[in-house]
Amino acid sequence: MTDLEQTAPPLTGYRVLDLAGPLGFHCGKLLADMGADVIKVEPPGGDEARRIPPFKDGVPHPEKSLYFLHYNTNKRGITLDVAHPDGRAIFLELARRADVVLETLRPARCAELGLTYAELSAVNPGLVVASITPFGQSGPWRDYKANDIAGLALGNLLYLAGEPGEPPLQPPGEIAYGMASTYGAFGIAVALYHRLESGRGQHVDVSMHECAAHIAGYFVPHYSHSGAKPARASRKGEETDLYDPYPTKNGYARIFIIPVEQWRRLVDWMGRPPSISGPEFEKMAYRRRHPEPVHKAISEFCLRHTKEELYEEGQKRRISVTPINTVGEFMNSPQVKARGIFTEMAHPAVGRYLHFGPVPRLSESPGRVTRTAPLVGEHNEEIYCGELGMNKEDLVALRAEGVI
């Protein structure tokens, strides 16, 4: 074992109560991977995310959702109905011992449950409460529900995706959720840092709607300064120059050409096809006015090669060629393997699999992945009996009442 492997991860000693749904899954994972003791609080029967595919072997099972496994690795898990009076009392006792509560409930629902920031901080003034919601804790939309695509659409990112004149393209994955969670983890870390001096906790209010717009680069400041609405950049050579993905023998590769020297090297590599070898094509403006022969020649050239061949030769010729990878090509790429990004885990229901390691990497106190996602109620006895002083008869009674 190396010295770094013996070093405690940076959030060791901090405890997080994780009441989050999909909006906050990535936030809890980031904290857990950096060493925080994250306790996933699920309703009796398990979190709804346990029913989200894909499943191991394609068979729906609450312990075999690979979606749930990904986001809940490194966490301990308990079942608790916080809407039940006894469940709420137990949660408040856990909150009294915690550093952070992470939740994604509508503000009105928090009030109904008696779990607002004011009520939680009353039992633990040092508590940091992070609320990650679609639209934040204030404003006319505060209690609206919204999913990932709504966050992208209302935050203006979706408007900018796709070709001019065509419907917006929906990106894959859960980008708005991920952005909100990342901002949430950042807010929690800053609040804990502030607490070192002040001794006081605070409420971290994260709006997915705001996060999606905040990450959208220069579009918002451009509009706020000039009043000009940003336009979609075409991928058909109308507004950008050789920015497109081209089909190859085994997928797609993206070629990016700006300097004239790169254009000349590309044309030489292609064997100087007569249709685009004239000096007029060395000018970007001319190529933009005459995109058809350019794209036809490059498309025909790329179809004669694999994307790996294009990448390797492009590197030699100092031309930017990016293979568009599948997930398998990403996981098996030399870069990923050299950095040891994946860790082999053994889950009792799923078996052995490769799990994504901590991101980002810290040189002096790196995070690590040491625990698979919890089974439903796996740590009930450990936490309720071992830390709150209950006995097994208490657990039987709580289970009979539907509290855990």
Side-chain angles (χ1 to χ4, degrees):
M1 181 176 290
T2 66
D3 290 342
L4 282 181
E5 288 171 331
Q6 294 178 332
T7 303
L11 294 181
T12 299
Y14 289 98
R15 172 168 291 184
V16 179
L17 297 182
D18 181 359
L19 267 176
L23 256 172
F25 281 169
H26 187 58
C27 179
K29 174 177 172 55
L30 290 172
L31 301 173
D33 286 356
M34 289 298 156
D37 176 19
V38 179
I39 300 175
K40 177 77 175 172
V41 182
E42 303 180 60
D47 194 291
E48 290 184 3
R50 292 181 179 275
R51 292 186 278 278
I52 296 177
F55 296 95
K56 166 72 172 174
D57 300 326
V59 179
H61 187 286
E63 304 295 2
K64 296 184 178 181
S65 165
L66 303 180
Y67 178 91
F68 184 87
L69 257 63
H70 172 70
Y71 285 115
N72 292 287
T73 299
N74 263 359
K75 301 178 186 178
R76 295 194 289 171
I78 60 173
T79 53
L80 185 66
D81 180 5
V82 297
H84 191 286
D86 290 341
R88 176 179 181 274
I90 293 171
F91 187 82
L92 291 178
E93 179 58 26
L94 290 169
R96 191 175 67 80
R97 302 161 181 247
D99 300 285
V100 177
V101 167
L102 169 63
E103 59 89 8
T104 56
L105 300 165
R106 291 179 295 111
R109 182 58 177 157
C110 278
E112 292 169 1
L113 294 172
L115 296 176
T116 64
Y117 171 67
E119 289 160 311
L120 292 169
S121 64
V123 300
N124 180 359
L127 190 66
V128 172
V129 178
S131 299
I132 304 177
T133 57
F135 301 105
Q137 299 294 301
S138 58
W141 297 354
R142 66 193 290 267
D143 284 313
Y144 284 7
K145 296 180 179 178
N147 60 10
D148 182 83
I149 190 67
L152 295 175
L154 294 169
N156 105 110
L157 277 178
L158 194 60
Y159 175 80
L160 300 167
E163 290 287 341
E166 296 180 11
L169 291 177
Q170 180 177 342
E174 296 179 332
I175 294 175
Y177 288 173
M179 288 188 289
S181 270
T182 304
Y183 278 94
F186 171 72
I188 289 168
V190 172
L192 290 173
Y193 182 76
H194 177 265
R195 194 182 71 172
L196 292 174
E197 290 292 330
S198 70
R200 301 191 307 274
Q202 58 184 300
H203 195 188
V204 180
D205 175 5
V206 181
S207 158
M208 172 181 66
H209 180 219
E210 293 172 358
C211 294
H214 193 264
I215 204 73
Y218 60 85
F219 298 112
V220 170
H222 179 64
Y223 175 77
S224 64
H225 175 71
S226 67
K229 294 180 180 178
R232 291 182 203 159
S234 174
R235 297 295 178 265
K236 293 180 179 177
E238 296 171 357
E239 295 185 12
T240 57
D241 191 55
L242 291 183
Y243 199 72
D244 302 333
Y246 289 94
T248 71
K249 290 172 71 174
N250 63 341
Y252 288 83
R254 173 181 169 272
I255 297 179
F256 185 61
I257 299 290
I258 292 291
V260 65
E261 293 78 12
Q262 285 189 338
W263 170 256
R264 290 169 179 163
R265 289 198 292 267
L266 175 64
V267 173
D268 287 344
W269 180 14
M270 295 168 64
R272 303 198 63 78
S275 61
I276 60 170
S277 294
E280 66 276 16
F281 280 95
E282 293 187 353
K283 297 178 181 178
M284 185 185 299
Y286 186 86
R287 295 199 298 269
R288 287 179 174 176
R289 292 197 302 271
H290 303 84
E292 292 81 8
V294 175
H295 287 272
K296 182 175 185 296
I298 295 178
S299 295
E300 291 172 353
F301 170 72
C302 289
L303 280 171
R304 296 197 295 271
H305 302 275
T306 67
K307 55 189 178 184
E308 293 81 10
E309 291 169 348
L310 292 170
Y311 165 74
E312 293 294 339
E313 188 63 24
Q315 288 292 98
K316 294 175 185 175
R317 294 174 181 265
R318 301 179 63 195
I319 295 173
S320 176
V321 179
T322 308
I324 298 178
N325 280 342
T326 65
V327 64
E329 289 163 343
F330 164 74
M331 292 182 67
N332 291 301
S333 72
Q335 177 68 13
V336 169
K337 288 190 171 182
R339 283 176 61 82
I341 291 175
F342 288 89
T343 301
E344 186 172 83
M345 307 291 288
H347 186 274
V350 170
R352 306 192 77 82
Y353 73 104
L354 293 177
H355 190 86
F356 217 121
V359 177
R361 299 187 179 200
L362 279 65
S363 63
E364 297 298 322
S365 56
R368 63 187 62 131
V369 176
T370 58
R371 186 196 297 270
T372 58
L375 305 176
V376 177
E378 180 177 348
H379 301 99
N380 280 356
E381 184 173 335
E382 180 176 303
I383 292 173
Y384 292 139
C385 297
E387 300 186 19
L388 299 189
M390 298 181 187
N391 55 44
K392 292 186 178 180
E393 287 72 25
D394 293 329
L395 298 191
V396 170
L398 289 171
R399 197 170 291 116
E401 291 292 325
V403 177
I404 65 172

